[in-house]
Amino acid sequence: MTFRCSCTFPISGPNKLPRFKKWAAANVPEILFSLPPQVPVKSEALTVRVRSVEDRRILLARLDGVKL
């Protein structure tokens, strides 16, 4: 499976990947994504790779205003 597009959004604190996975399962179960193996605690952003520009648009629209 090829993940051609990426989107980066602000997220801070520990456990970024589990928090995003839980949110994605509840809010965008139709979108397949790829996450990095780990993200440093000090990092203030998360980059998610998705399959298409349309998936990226949907993901960013649903993330708008969400605090993870």
Side-chain angles (χ1 to χ4, degrees), residues 7-31:
C7 55
T8 302
F9 56 91
I11 184 172
S12 61
N15 302 316
K16 292 172 187 65
L17 298 177
R19 286 188 287 147
F20 177 78
K21 287 178 186 178
K22 183 178 177 182
W23 177 87
N27 294 284
V28 286
E30 71 277 7
I31 295 179

Side-chain angles (χ1 to χ4, degrees), residues 17 20-21 33-40 45-49:
L17 298 177
F20 177 78
K21 287 178 186 178
F33 55 85
S34 175
L35 295 172
Q38 57 184 331
V39 179
L46 177 63
T47 299
V48 178
R49 296 190 57 81

Side-chain angles (χ1 to χ4, degrees), residues 1-8 31-35 46-60:
M1 189 168 298
T2 304
F3 296 95
R4 297 180 179 192
C5 299
S6 66
C7 55
T8 302
I31 295 179
L32 297 175
F33 55 85
S34 175
L35 295 172
L46 177 63
T47 299
V48 178
R49 296 190 57 81
V50 293
R51 294 184 306 162
S52 68
V53 174
E54 181 63 19
D55 286 348
R56 180 182 185 275
R57 185 191 63 75
I58 292 169
L59 181 61
L60 289 176

